Each structure stands twice: as C-alpha cells, then as structure tokens.
Amino acid sequence: MPKKLIVQKYGGTSVANTGRIENAARRVVSYKKRGYDVVVVTSALGDTTDELLGLASKLTKSPSEREIDMLISTGEQVSVALLAMAVHKLGEEAISLTGAQVGIITDSSHMKARIIDINVARIRKELAEGKVVIVAGFQGMNMDREITTLGRGGSDLTAVALAKVLKAEACEIYTDVAGVYTADPRIVKNARKLDRISYEEMLELASLGAQVLQARSVEVASKFNIPIHVRSSLSAKVGTLITKEVKAMEEVLVSGITVTKGEAKVTLRDVPDKPGIAARIFGDIAKNGINIDMIIQNVSRTGHTDLSFTTTASDIQKTMRLVKKITKSVGAKEATFDKDIAKVSVVGIGMRNHSGVAATMFRALASKKINIDMISTSEIKISCVVRKKKAEEAVRTLHKAFKLGR
Ligand code: ADP
Ligand code: ASP
Ligand code: MG
C-alpha cells in the first residue's frame, strides 16, 4: 500500500530565523516518523521578498519583470536549503529542490505566472528513497526555461498544487496565526478563529485583503476539492479547515471583515453622457492590462457625468498616463486620482438569504462618522470605500456591529 502523503507549507515568519527553521524541521520529522511521506514547501525567510523588491526599486522605477523573477525567486532557494540542513541534523534524509528542478511548468507572465503542469517524477523518486522533499515555493519555470514567480503569497499556491498532483492526504499551511480569523487579528484584538470555512467565503476573504491565504491558492483548492488546514507553526493546536460548503455554515450570517489598502480611485470628470463612451474607456483600459475593481457613474444632469473606478495603487502612474489620453479622446474635462482610500468588506454566505446586512454596515460606519465613498456588492459580500486613515477603525466597528468577537 502506498504511504500516506502530506504537504506542509511554512510561511515567511515560520522560517524567519534558524530557530524557527529548526522548529519547522522538528515538525516535519515528527510526521516522517509517524509514517508519512512529507513534501514541504517554504516561503522566503521573514521579509526577504520585500527586501529584495526594495533593492530593485532603489535602482530603477521600471525593472524588467524577468529580472525581478530572477531576483525574488532566490529567497525561497535560501530557505529550502537551510530547512534541508536542519532536517539532516535531526537524522532524517531530505533534499531541497527549486521549482525548476521539480518541473513546475508555468506560462510566461512574469511575477504572476500560472501553473500549467507539474512533473511529479522527481518528487516521487526522492520520496521513494525515503527523503523528505523540500520544494521552493512561489516559483516555476516557463517552456523557455526562464524562472517565473506565481504572484505574492504564491507559496500557498505551490503547496495546494503539489497536494493536488501528489494526491496528498492533507495540505497544511503553517503560518504565524492560529488559523483564519473573523478579521485580521493584528487589527481586531478579539477576532475569533474560525473552525471551518467554505472555499467560496475564503476566496472572497482572501481576494478582499485577508492575507492569510493567497486567493489563487484557494481557487485551485476549490476547483479540485483539496481541503486546506491553516494552522500555527508555533503550536500543535488545530487551526481552520477550508472545505466545500457544509450545511451548518449557512447559519452564519457574516463570517469575516477585511480591508484592502492597495487600491486607488480614478475619476474622470464631465464625461459626455452618450452610448458607447464607457465601452471605449474601459475597452482601452482592459487592452492595457489594467485591472478594474469598482465602477461608479453619477447621474447626468447637463449631458455630462462623472465616472470613477478603483484600480491597483501600485501602478497608478501607468494607469493615469493612459487615462489622461482617454480623457482627451472622449472629450471629458479632466482625470484625477486618489490613493488615500481603503476598501472594507463584510463577507458571509448567510447574506444570500438574509437582508439587512447592508443597512447594518452603513449604520455602523455612520455611527463613527466614517464616510462611504463607493459601494459594491455581490451575493456574499458588501464592500465600501472609505478614507485610508479610517480603515482600521471601520474594520473594528463592523466586527463589533456584526457581533463577531470572542
Ligand atoms: P505567511 O508568511 O505565513 O504566508 P502571511 O503574512 O502571508 O503569512 O499571512 C498571515 C497574516 O495574515 C497574519 O499574520 C495576519 O495578520 C494576516 N491576516 C489578515 N487577515 C487575516 C484573517 N482574517 N485571519 C488570519 N490572518 C489574517
Ligand atoms: N515569498 C513570497 C512572498 O513574499 C511568496 C510567499 O511568501 O508565499 O510573496
Ligand atoms: Mg502568505
């Protein structure tokens, strides 16, 4: 009978220094001793990825994306090698491998590459020889043997994808909190750990700012029905299980509050109010690969209207260059941007069958004199754009209003 196989991913804080690496190694070895085949994925040590990106941005405003991938993929190569040594020290066999060595094949979109295929032969061979296999997270290789990375937080995706192709019994994500909480525990002190959450809700939470899992990893887990267990690398306690929707989950109205600070609002003023204008504006924006989140158009009074949308703040310069051109070509008056915004969201499957969530949300924000700039809704979430400096207060207020605390 084949052995039970487990995939364990250790995040940056969980391998931040040699002490933490030894801690991770002890856990890995304990599973090996219990008879598991263990495949480990690690992130880069601590804040290494940010530090490497900081170095690049000191040199240039527009670095080559290929070179960025060459640069930031080094972080994970360091952590896998050190973890392998720590496992050796405990008397077990282990081997570290880069994404390319494993055969994690991706497309060519640097910094946000998609996994096309994973060759399991090398991993299977090493496992068969009794080794713990330690794979560098966040990275792959395209068909031209160029190194690629999978987007920030991408080690989660490496872990889920490996769990899928290796038919793992479990996929554990070890991090610096005890699981998925009703809000970021750094912002809300009495946030509550969730025992279970559905893929659908987790995907919304992750997409709307809950950093604890990369949204794309949740998408893949959901597609292939791979349960994820998010837990702390510093304790033996059970964390949060992310699975298919189960009946009991529907009784919960709201499961979490999130905040995203990485967006900016762009406004086009006095846009001629005619058919086809929005299509032209957003057509051009889409053609240039700029992602749009919320869109608001005001009521037109004088045959002109104002149009606002939110987009990623990090490439606002590029967006504004384009938007200024568009403004001219459609005959609008001017375009401005505002980076001082944040988006707070309330997420929950229970919203489908209950009304009143929006009203409670708006009332709670109003009670703290927090002005709402934009609103968007979907079946299981409501998001409001507020001033950035009010964002954390908004999260705490909503957490309380929906009685989510411990
Ligand atoms: P890792 O390095 O392990 O991948 P991350 O920093 O990417 O860890 O994610 C863990 C962090 O996510 C936590 O320290 C926590 O502050 C933050 N976080 C944000 N929202 C949530 C949430 N709803 N539940 C748990 N953690 C959250
Ligand atoms: N080190 C990468 C990042 O910081 C990948 C990860 O941590 O998952 O985004
Ligand atoms: Mg992470």
Side-chain angles (χ1 to χ4, degrees), residues 133-145:
V133 179
I134 306 173
V135 180
F138 179 52
Q139 54 176 262
M141 179 180 77
N142 74 8
M143 300 290 199
D144 301 322
R145 301 183 152 266

mmCIF file with all atom_site columns, all heavy atoms in Angstrom, residues 133-145:
data_model
loop_
_atom_site.group_PDB
_atom_site.id
_atom_site.type_symbol
_atom_site.label_atom_id
_atom_site.label_alt_id
_atom_site.label_comp_id
_atom_site.label_asym_id
_atom_site.label_entity_id
_atom_site.label_seq_id
_atom_site.pdbx_PDB_ins_code
_atom_site.Cartn_x
_atom_site.Cartn_y
_atom_site.Cartn_z
_atom_site.occupancy
_atom_site.B_iso_or_equiv
_atom_site.pdbx_formal_charge
_atom_site.auth_seq_id
_atom_site.auth_comp_id
_atom_site.auth_asym_id
_atom_site.auth_atom_id
_atom_site.pdbx_PDB_model_num
ATOM 1  N N   . VAL A 1 133 ? 11.020 15.775 0.930   1.00 0.00 ? 133 VAL A N   1
ATOM 2  C CA  . VAL A 1 133 ? 11.282 16.629 -0.236  1.00 0.00 ? 133 VAL A CA  1
ATOM 3  C C   . VAL A 1 133 ? 10.859 18.058 0.090   1.00 0.00 ? 133 VAL A C   1
ATOM 4  O O   . VAL A 1 133 ? 9.717  18.307 0.474   1.00 0.00 ? 133 VAL A O   1
ATOM 5  C CB  . VAL A 1 133 ? 10.525 16.109 -1.475  1.00 0.00 ? 133 VAL A CB  1
ATOM 6  C CG1 . VAL A 1 133 ? 10.792 17.010 -2.674  1.00 0.00 ? 133 VAL A CG1 1
ATOM 7  C CG2 . VAL A 1 133 ? 10.942 14.685 -1.784  1.00 0.00 ? 133 VAL A CG2 1
ATOM 8  N N   . ILE A 1 134 ? 11.792 18.987 -0.034  1.00 0.00 ? 134 ILE A N   1
ATOM 9  C CA  . ILE A 1 134 ? 11.527 20.377 0.351   1.00 0.00 ? 134 ILE A CA  1
ATOM 10 C C   . ILE A 1 134 ? 11.585 21.253 -0.897  1.00 0.00 ? 134 ILE A C   1
ATOM 11 O O   . ILE A 1 134 ? 12.636 21.417 -1.520  1.00 0.00 ? 134 ILE A O   1
ATOM 12 C CB  . ILE A 1 134 ? 12.550 20.841 1.406   1.00 0.00 ? 134 ILE A CB  1
ATOM 13 C CG1 . ILE A 1 134 ? 12.543 19.851 2.583   1.00 0.00 ? 134 ILE A CG1 1
ATOM 14 C CG2 . ILE A 1 134 ? 12.226 22.258 1.881   1.00 0.00 ? 134 ILE A CG2 1
ATOM 15 C CD1 . ILE A 1 134 ? 13.620 20.101 3.609   1.00 0.00 ? 134 ILE A CD1 1
ATOM 16 N N   . VAL A 1 135 ? 10.424 21.778 -1.277  1.00 0.00 ? 135 VAL A N   1
ATOM 17 C CA  . VAL A 1 135 ? 10.291 22.492 -2.548  1.00 0.00 ? 135 VAL A CA  1
ATOM 18 C C   . VAL A 1 135 ? 10.221 24.002 -2.311  1.00 0.00 ? 135 VAL A C   1
ATOM 19 O O   . VAL A 1 135 ? 9.469  24.468 -1.448  1.00 0.00 ? 135 VAL A O   1
ATOM 20 C CB  . VAL A 1 135 ? 9.004  22.030 -3.278  1.00 0.00 ? 135 VAL A CB  1
ATOM 21 C CG1 . VAL A 1 135 ? 8.848  22.761 -4.617  1.00 0.00 ? 135 VAL A CG1 1
ATOM 22 C CG2 . VAL A 1 135 ? 9.017  20.518 -3.485  1.00 0.00 ? 135 VAL A CG2 1
ATOM 23 N N   . ALA A 1 136 ? 10.968 24.741 -3.100  1.00 0.00 ? 136 ALA A N   1
ATOM 24 C CA  . ALA A 1 136 ? 10.919 26.203 -3.029  1.00 0.00 ? 136 ALA A CA  1
ATOM 25 C C   . ALA A 1 136 ? 9.549  26.675 -3.500  1.00 0.00 ? 136 ALA A C   1
ATOM 26 O O   . ALA A 1 136 ? 9.149  26.397 -4.627  1.00 0.00 ? 136 ALA A O   1
ATOM 27 C CB  . ALA A 1 136 ? 12.018 26.803 -3.907  1.00 0.00 ? 136 ALA A CB  1
ATOM 28 N N   . GLY A 1 137 ? 8.847  27.399 -2.637  1.00 0.00 ? 137 GLY A N   1
ATOM 29 C CA  . GLY A 1 137 ? 7.520  27.894 -3.006  1.00 0.00 ? 137 GLY A CA  1
ATOM 30 C C   . GLY A 1 137 ? 7.608  29.054 -3.971  1.00 0.00 ? 137 GLY A C   1
ATOM 31 O O   . GLY A 1 137 ? 8.693  29.582 -4.242  1.00 0.00 ? 137 GLY A O   1
ATOM 32 N N   . PHE A 1 138 ? 6.462  29.434 -4.551  1.00 0.00 ? 138 PHE A N   1
ATOM 33 C CA  . PHE A 1 138 ? 6.347  30.735 -5.226  1.00 0.00 ? 138 PHE A CA  1
ATOM 34 C C   . PHE A 1 138 ? 6.985  30.777 -6.613  1.00 0.00 ? 138 PHE A C   1
ATOM 35 O O   . PHE A 1 138 ? 6.898  31.772 -7.296  1.00 0.00 ? 138 PHE A O   1
ATOM 36 C CB  . PHE A 1 138 ? 6.964  31.773 -4.278  1.00 0.00 ? 138 PHE A CB  1
ATOM 37 C CG  . PHE A 1 138 ? 7.025  33.206 -4.687  1.00 0.00 ? 138 PHE A CG  1
ATOM 38 C CD1 . PHE A 1 138 ? 5.896  33.887 -5.135  1.00 0.00 ? 138 PHE A CD1 1
ATOM 39 C CD2 . PHE A 1 138 ? 8.222  33.921 -4.562  1.00 0.00 ? 138 PHE A CD2 1
ATOM 40 C CE1 . PHE A 1 138 ? 5.970  35.246 -5.449  1.00 0.00 ? 138 PHE A CE1 1
ATOM 41 C CE2 . PHE A 1 138 ? 8.300  35.268 -4.869  1.00 0.00 ? 138 PHE A CE2 1
ATOM 42 C CZ  . PHE A 1 138 ? 7.178  35.933 -5.322  1.00 0.00 ? 138 PHE A CZ  1
ATOM 43 N N   . GLN A 1 139 ? 7.650  29.679 -7.032  1.00 0.00 ? 139 GLN A N   1
ATOM 44 C CA  . GLN A 1 139 ? 8.395  29.771 -8.288  1.00 0.00 ? 139 GLN A CA  1
ATOM 45 C C   . GLN A 1 139 ? 8.150  28.598 -9.218  1.00 0.00 ? 139 GLN A C   1
ATOM 46 O O   . GLN A 1 139 ? 7.758  27.512 -8.822  1.00 0.00 ? 139 GLN A O   1
ATOM 47 C CB  . GLN A 1 139 ? 9.890  29.841 -7.989  1.00 0.00 ? 139 GLN A CB  1
ATOM 48 C CG  . GLN A 1 139 ? 10.393 28.700 -7.114  1.00 0.00 ? 139 GLN A CG  1
ATOM 49 C CD  . GLN A 1 139 ? 11.894 28.770 -6.921  1.00 0.00 ? 139 GLN A CD  1
ATOM 50 O OE1 . GLN A 1 139 ? 12.655 28.101 -7.594  1.00 0.00 ? 139 GLN A OE1 1
ATOM 51 N NE2 . GLN A 1 139 ? 12.330 29.609 -5.999  1.00 0.00 ? 139 GLN A NE2 1
ATOM 52 N N   . GLY A 1 140 ? 8.389  28.857 -10.495 1.00 0.00 ? 140 GLY A N   1
ATOM 53 C CA  . GLY A 1 140 ? 8.320  27.813 -11.505 1.00 0.00 ? 140 GLY A CA  1
ATOM 54 C C   . GLY A 1 140 ? 9.248  28.166 -12.648 1.00 0.00 ? 140 GLY A C   1
ATOM 55 O O   . GLY A 1 140 ? 10.148 29.009 -12.488 1.00 0.00 ? 140 GLY A O   1
ATOM 56 N N   . MET A 1 141 ? 9.016  27.499 -13.762 1.00 0.00 ? 141 MET A N   1
ATOM 57 C CA  . MET A 1 141 ? 9.866  27.727 -14.935 1.00 0.00 ? 141 MET A CA  1
ATOM 58 C C   . MET A 1 141 ? 8.959  27.677 -16.157 1.00 0.00 ? 141 MET A C   1
ATOM 59 O O   . MET A 1 141 ? 8.074  26.828 -16.211 1.00 0.00 ? 141 MET A O   1
ATOM 60 C CB  . MET A 1 141 ? 10.896 26.602 -14.985 1.00 0.00 ? 141 MET A CB  1
ATOM 61 C CG  . MET A 1 141 ? 11.846 26.657 -16.146 1.00 0.00 ? 141 MET A CG  1
ATOM 62 S SD  . MET A 1 141 ? 13.007 25.269 -16.057 1.00 0.00 ? 141 MET A SD  1
ATOM 63 C CE  . MET A 1 141 ? 11.986 23.922 -16.624 1.00 0.00 ? 141 MET A CE  1
ATOM 64 N N   . ASN A 1 142 ? 9.177  28.576 -17.116 1.00 0.00 ? 142 ASN A N   1
ATOM 65 C CA  . ASN A 1 142 ? 8.336  28.502 -18.309 1.00 0.00 ? 142 ASN A CA  1
ATOM 66 C C   . ASN A 1 142 ? 8.949  27.565 -19.347 1.00 0.00 ? 142 ASN A C   1
ATOM 67 O O   . ASN A 1 142 ? 9.995  26.961 -19.108 1.00 0.00 ? 142 ASN A O   1
ATOM 68 C CB  . ASN A 1 142 ? 8.032  29.912 -18.863 1.00 0.00 ? 142 ASN A CB  1
ATOM 69 C CG  . ASN A 1 142 ? 9.238  30.538 -19.558 1.00 0.00 ? 142 ASN A CG  1
ATOM 70 O OD1 . ASN A 1 142 ? 10.272 29.894 -19.774 1.00 0.00 ? 142 ASN A OD1 1
ATOM 71 N ND2 . ASN A 1 142 ? 9.104  31.802 -19.913 1.00 0.00 ? 142 ASN A ND2 1
ATOM 72 N N   . MET A 1 143 ? 8.312  27.445 -20.479 1.00 0.00 ? 143 MET A N   1
ATOM 73 C CA  . MET A 1 143 ? 8.765  26.492 -21.510 1.00 0.00 ? 143 MET A CA  1
ATOM 74 C C   . MET A 1 143 ? 10.163 26.836 -22.035 1.00 0.00 ? 143 MET A C   1
ATOM 75 O O   . MET A 1 143 ? 10.857 25.986 -22.565 1.00 0.00 ? 143 MET A O   1
ATOM 76 C CB  . MET A 1 143 ? 7.787  26.489 -22.688 1.00 0.00 ? 143 MET A CB  1
ATOM 77 C CG  . MET A 1 143 ? 6.379  26.107 -22.314 1.00 0.00 ? 143 MET A CG  1
ATOM 78 S SD  . MET A 1 143 ? 6.293  24.383 -21.885 1.00 0.00 ? 143 MET A SD  1
ATOM 79 C CE  . MET A 1 143 ? 4.522  24.125 -22.059 1.00 0.00 ? 143 MET A CE  1
ATOM 80 N N   . ASP A 1 144 ? 10.566 28.104 -21.907 1.00 0.00 ? 144 ASP A N   1
ATOM 81 C CA  . ASP A 1 144 ? 11.900 28.510 -22.359 1.00 0.00 ? 144 ASP A CA  1
ATOM 82 C C   . ASP A 1 144 ? 12.931 28.438 -21.235 1.00 0.00 ? 144 ASP A C   1
ATOM 83 O O   . ASP A 1 144 ? 13.991 29.047 -21.320 1.00 0.00 ? 144 ASP A O   1
ATOM 84 C CB  . ASP A 1 144 ? 11.858 29.956 -22.889 1.00 0.00 ? 144 ASP A CB  1
ATOM 85 C CG  . ASP A 1 144 ? 10.886 30.107 -24.038 1.00 0.00 ? 144 ASP A CG  1
ATOM 86 O OD1 . ASP A 1 144 ? 10.815 29.167 -24.857 1.00 0.00 ? 144 ASP A OD1 1
ATOM 87 O OD2 . ASP A 1 144 ? 10.184 31.139 -24.095 1.00 0.00 ? 144 ASP A OD2 1
ATOM 88 N N   . ARG A 1 145 ? 12.581 27.742 -20.170 1.00 0.00 ? 145 ARG A N   1
ATOM 89 C CA  . ARG A 1 145 ? 13.468 27.559 -19.008 1.00 0.00 ? 145 ARG A CA  1
ATOM 90 C C   . ARG A 1 145 ? 13.776 28.864 -18.283 1.00 0.00 ? 145 ARG A C   1
ATOM 91 O O   . ARG A 1 145 ? 14.825 29.032 -17.657 1.00 0.00 ? 145 ARG A O   1
ATOM 92 C CB  . ARG A 1 145 ? 14.782 26.861 -19.407 1.00 0.00 ? 145 ARG A CB  1
ATOM 93 C CG  . ARG A 1 145 ? 14.539 25.506 -20.032 1.00 0.00 ? 145 ARG A CG  1
ATOM 94 C CD  . ARG A 1 145 ? 15.828 24.780 -20.350 1.00 0.00 ? 145 ARG A CD  1
ATOM 95 N NE  . ARG A 1 145 ? 15.599 23.339 -20.293 1.00 0.00 ? 145 ARG A NE  1
ATOM 96 C CZ  . ARG A 1 145 ? 15.816 22.589 -19.227 1.00 0.00 ? 145 ARG A CZ  1
ATOM 97 N NH1 . ARG A 1 145 ? 16.285 23.131 -18.121 1.00 0.00 ? 145 ARG A NH1 1
ATOM 98 N NH2 . ARG A 1 145 ? 15.583 21.300 -19.245 1.00 0.00 ? 145 ARG A NH2 1
#
